[in-house]
Amino acid sequence: MDINKILEEILPKVSKPTRYSGNELNIIKKDKRKIKVHIALAFPDVYEVGMSHLGLRILYHLLNEQENVYAERVFAPWVDMEDMMREKGIPLFSLESKTPLSEFNIIGFSLQYEMSYSNVLNMLELAGIPIFSSERKDSDPIVIAGGPCVYNPEPLAEIIDLFVIGEAEEAILELVDLYIDCKESSGSRKEFLERAAQIPGVYVPAFYSVHYNEDGTVKEIVPTKAGLPEKVKKRFIKDLDNVYYPTRIIVPYMDIVHDRAVLEIFRGCSRGCRFCQAGMIYRPVREKSVEKLVNIAREMIEATGYEEISLASLSTSDYSDLKKLIEILTDEFRESRVGLSLPSLRIDSFTLDIARRIMEIKKSGLTFAPEAGTQRLRDVINKGVTEEDLLNSVRGAFEAGWNTVKLYFMIGLPTESYEDLEGIAELAHKVVDMYRQVKGSTKGLRVTVSTSTFVPKPFTPFQWEAQIPLEEIEERQKFLKKKLKNPHISYNWHDGRLSFLEAVFSRGDRKLNLVLKKAREKGCRFDSWSDIFSFSKWMEAFSEIGIDPKFYANRPRSENEFFPWEVIDPGIDRKFLLRELKKAKKAEPTPDCRFDRCHGCGIMKLEGGIACEGKNED
Amino acid sequence: MRVKVRMRIRKKEEAKYISHLDLMRALERAMRRAKLPLKFTEGFNPRPKLTFTPAIPVGITSDVEYMDVEFTKQLSMDEIFSRLNSVLPPGISLVKVDTAEGKIPLSAVNRALYTVVVDIGNATREVLEKAIEKLLSRSEINIEKKSKGKVKFVNIAPWIYDIKIGQIEDGKIELKMELAAGQQGSVTPPAVVNALQEYIPSLSVRRINRDEIFLFDNGKRIDPI
């Protein structure tokens, strides 16, 4: 089948055809006959979402640097394209060479959020690849996955052949070498998977069996082959300053979600917010040097022509040399009008000064994330920001000329009461009052309050906690809607039903594989797109398989329960997490270990004592 | 200093699905890569000063995408051409660079020529000739146009100036269309093809290219470059 020829006919009829046409600047094309491993990097969402993801960009260019490897991209086709493809019998194909996915050696999925799982299944289905790992033959591609979701791989353990846990830059190359080696010997998937399971950071679920207790909880997950680790330790890059980072990156034609040059300044975060999974699993903190970053930025802008650079990390203001970095970058790019954007900024007087510098070049909105409405609850979640800090920063921002402020909160946090919700509304009104104080009136002011619903995540102190019931989520949103009636405040909230499903899958076990298959059969896909999401189909899938989703989302866990994700070792001690949970219940904060003493999270012990700035254990 | 330069750009097969807005963005980024001395607007959100000829629907290649851009420095046209052409994305290339001074404004163009390759299936050339003749003689061809969610009918008949049959090769026929293209009114080949399909349902489009765009005034043709 000549896919190119059929595309000629159908692309003019679909929305946003550049999602499928490829040919962007800096795209890499290779001769398929001259390579040894053909890898499809698959992102289970549309092009504009997937292309905004840094990990995919890094792996694409890193893999293509290898002479033997040809890495191509594939995204989930939007529903209009999917309909056309099914009608014309076009299998899912890669963007670069328009090769059917089933002809690749390896397909690597990037799992960034649980609600993309149905798209993983749909993409396999569109590619004509069996959904379950056990059904695949030697001629089928090896299906691998990475990303933050794989810290609990179990809900996909029967679908994905192999998970890469943690930062993949090194492990992926080891897998590629192994693949070439196996291809030259037996070429069987069994041999490949058996040998791959020996690579640190690689989890092959087919070689681990799950045993359950009578109450339905998991008793243990044990390796079924000799020589496999009981827990798979995550991989991470020790020397971030010298790790490969692409600069000749692809520049999409269409307007993607984050359409700018991304400069990754550090990985990890030691703030220790108790709800935050990223803050735990990406430890330890590792920074890149200012010199390196400035070089990367310069090369990237030269190779792409981007008009904006965004500093990427979990908490931009925690970069040790932020002031210097920003001074150099703003000077460097003043004349060429390349703007700087700083997401995830904690706003205080220091960062406000930085924000003013950036405003010299470009104006962007201001976002604050107090997460909770009262000091008590902020202490519970260890979000070290006070109302005074926030209002001072807001005052500074208003004085500096801003008039648009976004406030992010979470509802349903452990121990939350209506008093805490009231606090959210009060804080929003105080921001309005502050504007009036500074400007004399409320003219031009826009305050946006957004709430998401707390989802307990694996490897966080709150992994033992229950999510509040769905009805209660909706009750609390209703309450806030009423409290936030003000012409200058607009209130957005995240669909509680999605948060509920996210809670099910983030702490799910292997039984959920069947639910996923059932939900896919019922047509579930693009669940994070509100116009496509169908909650009722999901609920039908659960009841037909005979699984109660509340068991996963709304059940508080006992201290001793074994968790399905504990087949993975992210380097964070269970004892530390439990200590943190107990401190949370007493609303006792734990200061950042970079500025305080070490709290013994365990990351120092991973790989026998590694670089970590904390010195003295608790 | 303010130097206004006009460029004629070609959009080929590899880039034919990119929208007008995408093309504008791609060209701005290319000029940044070429380190051309772009003049920016004042204010919080500085943008380079760019103007273009009217947009064409996606899926159409073009030899005539014109862009005016302002620079802060005088550079030779050859230098601009070679610096920019070497950094353009696949499927986009420069045809010509010239000063914009003393030329018609790009907003003045009102007419374009297209090559439309069609397949007429089992219909004959005579049938096609008849269909074109009928179409050209009509004073009213109403087509649906959606804008901002509302559907309205537009008469495209006065905007179709000519359709000629060109080369024929393995059953595929080249049509040369001369259509209105500009602020006063415009129609694009897909709409004309739709109208032709009323007479020949088996007709389908293989390829469309915009060949030329210009100002037609008092019987005289003036090109942007």
Side-chain angles (χ1 to χ4, degrees):
Chain A
M1 174 186 302
D2 187 352
I3 291 179
N4 271 309
K5 210 165 160 192
I6 305 175
L7 287 180
E8 282 285 303
E9 196 186 318
I10 62 174
L11 284 189
K13 296 177 193 159
V14 301
S15 59
K16 304 186 180 173
T18 37
R19 282 168 172 163
Y20 319 103
S21 54
N23 290 323
E24 308 98 315
L25 181 80
N26 297 336
I27 189 173
I28 295 162
K29 291 200 178 184
K30 293 188 178 181
D31 185 342
K32 281 193 268 180
R33 290 161 305 178
K34 290 184 181 152
I35 50 130
K36 286 188 176 155
V37 188
H38 202 184
I39 302 182
L41 295 172
F43 197 98
D45 209 321
V46 286
Y47 176 94
E48 57 268 39
V49 175
M51 280 304 288
S52 300
H53 184 253
L54 178 62
L56 178 88
R57 304 290 206 105
I58 293 177
L59 292 179
Y60 176 81
H61 292 281
L62 170 72
L63 286 166
N64 279 315
E65 290 275 310
Q66 323 300 315
E67 214 189 319
N68 281 334
V69 184
Y70 186 10
E72 304 194 41
R73 297 162 297 155
V74 59
F75 302 95
W78 185 241
V79 292
D80 60 344
M81 181 65 170
E82 182 187 329
D83 290 348
M84 289 265 191
M85 288 168 69
R86 288 184 186 275
E87 190 192 311
K88 306 266 175 192
I90 307 175
L92 189 61
F93 57 88
S94 63
L95 228 51
E96 278 75 6
S97 68
K98 311 285 188 288
T99 301
L101 237 59
S102 55
E103 291 174 22
F104 278 80
N105 301 126
I106 298 174
I107 298 172
F109 279 99
S110 172
L111 302 178
Q112 298 298 316
Y113 29 91
E114 289 81 2
M115 298 323 290
S116 68
Y117 290 175
S118 62
N119 274 7
V120 171
L121 276 78
N122 196 28
M123 287 171 81
L124 289 171
E125 189 181 309
L126 284 168
I129 297 167
I131 298 295
F132 286 124
S133 175
S134 58
E135 296 164 354
R136 288 181 203 129
K137 306 206 169 48
D138 281 348
S139 56
D140 287 312
I142 305 281
V143 179
I144 73 175
C149 289
V150 309
Y151 282 86
N152 179 14
E154 288 303 303
L156 288 167
E158 287 167 0
I159 293 160
I160 303 293
D161 296 324
L162 173 166
F163 292 91
V164 178
I165 314 295
E167 294 163 3
E169 283 109 325
E170 291 168 352
I172 194 82
L173 297 183
E174 292 162 26
L175 277 171
V176 162
D177 287 343
L178 176 68
Y179 190 88
I180 294 171
D181 203 50
C182 286
K183 207 174 166 186
E184 280 158 8
S185 58
S186 76
S188 80
R189 42 190 302 122
K190 191 162 168 278
E191 185 201 336
F192 174 75
L193 290 174
E194 276 176 8
R195 290 175 63 190
Q198 309 280 347
I199 296 178
V202 170
Y203 175 55
V204 181
F207 304 146
Y208 289 78
S209 67
V210 185
H211 304 274
Y212 295 94
N213 294 310
E214 268 175 33
D215 62 4
T217 55
V218 173
K219 185 166 174 249
E220 55 179 1
I221 300 181
V222 286
T224 54
K225 284 195 190 300
L228 294 187
E230 269 172 47
K231 286 175 186 287
V232 176
K233 275 188 187 160
K234 77 162 178 192
R235 293 291 291 266
F236 67 98
I237 303 298
K238 291 193 193 68
D239 181 5
L240 198 69
D241 208 29
N242 287 307
V243 73
Y244 170 81
Y245 198 80
T247 52
R248 276 201 97 70
I249 54 169
I250 291 178
V251 183
Y253 278 117
M254 72 181 291
D255 196 10
I256 61 171
V257 180
H258 299 295
D259 201 9
R260 49 191 82 103
V262 175
L263 192 59
E264 186 188 33
I265 56 176
F266 69 95
R267 290 184 190 169
C269 174
S270 51
R271 291 270 164 190
C273 298
R274 291 174 180 136
F275 56 85
C276 179
Q277 190 188 36
M280 298 293 161
I281 61 177
Y282 294 135
R283 288 176 183 215
V285 173
R286 290 145 296 152
E287 297 190 345
K288 288 189 185 182
S289 64
V290 170
E291 297 70 38
K292 189 69 121 209
L293 289 170
V294 172
N295 283 336
I296 292 174
R298 200 179 288 136
E299 277 175 38
M300 252 205 266
I301 293 304
E302 273 180 21
T304 62
Y306 265 125
E307 57 288 317
E308 188 176 343
I309 297 175
S310 156
L311 303 187
S313 71
L314 290 170
S315 172
T316 311
S317 7
D318 287 340
Y319 181 69
S320 325
D321 248 341
L322 188 63
K323 195 156 181 240
K324 185 172 163 203
L325 177 66
I326 286 173
E327 273 169 12
I328 297 179
L329 290 177
T330 41
D331 286 347
E332 170 93 24
F333 296 116
R334 182 169 289 117
E335 203 190 332
S336 54
R337 307 291 207 284
V338 176
L340 257 192
S341 68
L342 278 67
S344 338
L345 200 64
R346 299 163 74 92
I347 307 287
D348 52 31
S349 55
F350 163 65
T351 47
L352 205 63
D353 182 50
I354 287 171
R356 279 200 203 93
R357 277 188 78 86
I358 293 167
M359 241 176 77
E360 285 175 27
I361 302 180
K362 223 167 181 184
K363 194 183 179 175
S364 48
L366 271 190
T367 303
F368 299 86
E371 308 290 4
T374 58
Q375 196 54 47
R376 183 200 66 83
L377 193 52
R378 283 192 294 271
D379 287 340
V380 167
I381 62 174
N382 203 35
K383 182 87 188 178
V385 58
T386 65
E387 183 172 304
E388 203 188 335
D389 291 343
L390 180 92
L391 290 175
N392 278 336
S393 313
V394 168
R395 180 206 300 275
F398 289 154
E399 283 167 355
W402 270 277
N403 56 11
T404 308
V405 170
K406 282 187 194 155
L407 300 171
Y408 286 148
F409 296 95
M410 242 184 272
I411 60 166
L413 285 162
T415 76
E416 182 183 71
S417 67
Y418 277 79
E419 204 177 301
D420 300 303
L421 293 173
E422 195 100 40
I424 293 177
E426 274 168 26
L427 201 52
H429 285 104
K430 280 180 187 164
V431 169
V432 174
D433 292 342
M434 181 60 79
Y435 190 86
R436 195 179 289 117
Q437 232 183 72
V438 172
K439 300 269 180 162
S441 80
T442 50
K443 203 167 160 267
L445 172 68
R446 268 194 317 170
V447 179
T448 306
V449 174
S450 299
T451 63
S452 61
T453 300
F454 167 65
V455 176
K457 294 275 181 178
F459 301 119
T460 65
F462 292 156
Q463 64 179 349
W464 287 272
E465 291 294 298
Q467 186 180 56
I468 58 169
L470 184 52
E471 306 73 53
E472 186 58 34
I473 295 175
E474 283 160 4
E475 236 5 86
R476 294 187 194 186
Q477 288 168 341
K478 235 184 268 166
F479 177 83
L480 276 176
K481 243 181 280 178
K482 236 188 281 159
K483 292 279 171 186
L484 287 167
K485 275 197 183 127
N486 181 301
H488 302 287
I489 302 175
S490 55
Y491 173 47
N492 304 320
W493 59 94
H494 193 69
D495 189 338
R497 299 169 308 171
L498 270 173
S499 306
F500 171 67
L501 282 178
E502 202 185 316
V504 173
F505 282 96
S506 70
R507 289 187 300 168
D509 57 25
R510 214 173 270 200
K511 292 175 195 156
L512 294 180
N513 285 266
L514 284 175
V515 177
L516 277 172
K517 182 155 188 273
K518 184 58 94 182
R520 178 52 225 145
E521 281 164 12
K522 293 185 172 295
C524 290
R525 56 180 175 176
F526 286 112
D527 297 304
S528 42
W529 296 75
S530 58
D531 45 340
I532 297 186
F533 175 55
S534 168
F535 188 60
S536 59
K537 282 184 193 158
W538 276 103
M539 290 305 104
E540 284 167 25
F542 279 109
S543 82
E544 283 171 36
I545 297 295
I547 278 183
D548 177 12
K550 294 187 187 120
F551 174 81
Y552 300 98
N554 308 121
R555 181 175 59 90
R557 273 75 161 167
S558 79
E559 274 183 26
N560 302 319
E561 183 173 332
F562 174 84
F563 297 133
W565 51 91
E566 286 179 309
V567 69
I568 303 301
D569 177 10
I572 303 297
D573 270 351
R574 181 181 239 257
K575 279 185 249 134
F576 165 76
L577 295 175
L578 205 51
R579 272 204 305 278
E580 281 296 293
L581 175 68
K582 286 179 178 161
K583 283 171 92 177
K585 293 289 170 68
K586 289 186 277 180
E588 258 178 50
T590 299
D592 188 333
C593 63
R594 284 174 98 191
F595 314 111
D596 195 62
R597 58 172 201 258
C598 170
H599 306 295
C601 72
I603 197 66
M604 281 179 73
K605 280 183 257 165
L606 193 70
E607 299 200 14
I610 46 94
C612 170
E613 292 172 16
K615 297 288 182 294
N616 310 303
E617 296 237 3
D618 255 2
Chain B
M1 193 168 188
R2 189 164 151 268
V3 186
K4 222 171 160 187
V5 170
R6 178 160 298 174
M7 301 183 188
R8 181 173 159 190
I9 294 139
R10 184 173 282 146
K11 188 172 142 190
K12 293 178 283 195
E13 281 293 319
E14 299 105 293
K16 72 175 174 185
Y17 293 114
I18 70 171
S19 71
H20 192 63
L21 211 67
D22 295 341
L23 179 70
M24 290 164 66
R25 205 168 26 230
L27 287 166
E28 176 187 336
R29 288 176 182 160
M31 289 190 286
R32 285 172 170 276
R33 290 192 294 277
K35 298 194 173 146
L36 293 174
L38 289 167
K39 187 166 174 68
F40 289 92
T41 57
E42 301 294 323
F44 278 135
N45 211 346
R47 308 296 312 166
K49 295 183 167 180
L50 308 178
T51 44
F52 285 83
T53 33
I56 47 170
V58 295
I60 298 181
T61 58
S62 171
D63 298 332
V64 280
E65 297 300 295
Y66 286 101
M67 171 179 72
D68 280 355
V69 53
E70 287 180 33
F71 293 138
T72 55
K73 270 190 215 116
Q74 190 81 52
L75 293 174
S76 82
M77 297 305 150
D78 285 349
E79 191 183 347
I80 296 172
F81 187 97
S82 63
R83 267 164 69 175
L84 183 56
N85 207 35
S86 63
V87 295
L88 285 171
I92 298 176
S93 62
L94 274 179
V95 181
K96 199 172 181 198
V97 178
D98 203 348
T99 171
E101 302 299 335
K103 299 199 167 63
I104 56 162
L106 290 181
S107 57
V109 298
N110 59 10
R111 214 173 262 224
L113 300 180
Y114 299 88
T115 299
V116 182
V117 178
V118 296
D119 191 331
I120 52 172
N122 46 20
T124 60
R125 184 189 168 120
E126 285 66 42
V127 172
L128 180 64
E129 276 171 5
K130 272 263 155 52
I132 291 171
E133 204 179 301
K134 273 192 208 147
L135 193 77
L136 290 175
S137 66
R138 279 167 65 175
S139 59
E140 228 175 81
I141 306 168
N142 288 315
I143 61 160
E144 267 184 35
K145 212 171 184 179
K146 272 185 214 150
S147 78
K148 287 166 197 155
K150 279 183 197 158
V151 180
K152 56 175 186 174
F153 284 92
V154 186
N155 179 16
I156 59 168
W159 298 334
I160 306 174
Y161 302 119
D162 198 11
I163 304 172
K164 282 198 186 76
I165 299 181
Q167 285 175 348
I168 304 179
E169 224 173 280
D170 10 286
K172 287 176 200 65
I173 299 180
E174 220 178 69
L175 300 178
K176 296 282 184 188
M177 295 187 184
E178 185 167 349
L179 309 174
Q183 288 170 353
Q184 270 83 48
S186 82
V187 61
T188 55
V192 179
V193 168
N194 277 345
L196 274 175
Q197 280 164 338
E198 281 177 34
Y199 304 102
I200 312 174
S202 63
L203 183 140
S204 61
V205 179
R206 286 287 169 264
R207 196 162 56 74
I208 304 175
N209 184 65
R210 181 152 85 181
D211 306 327
E212 291 175 64
I213 190 163
F214 49 83
L215 166 67
F216 192 78
D217 188 26
N218 287 323
K220 232 176 55 204
R221 169 182 161 164
I222 308 166
D223 280 87
I225 287 192

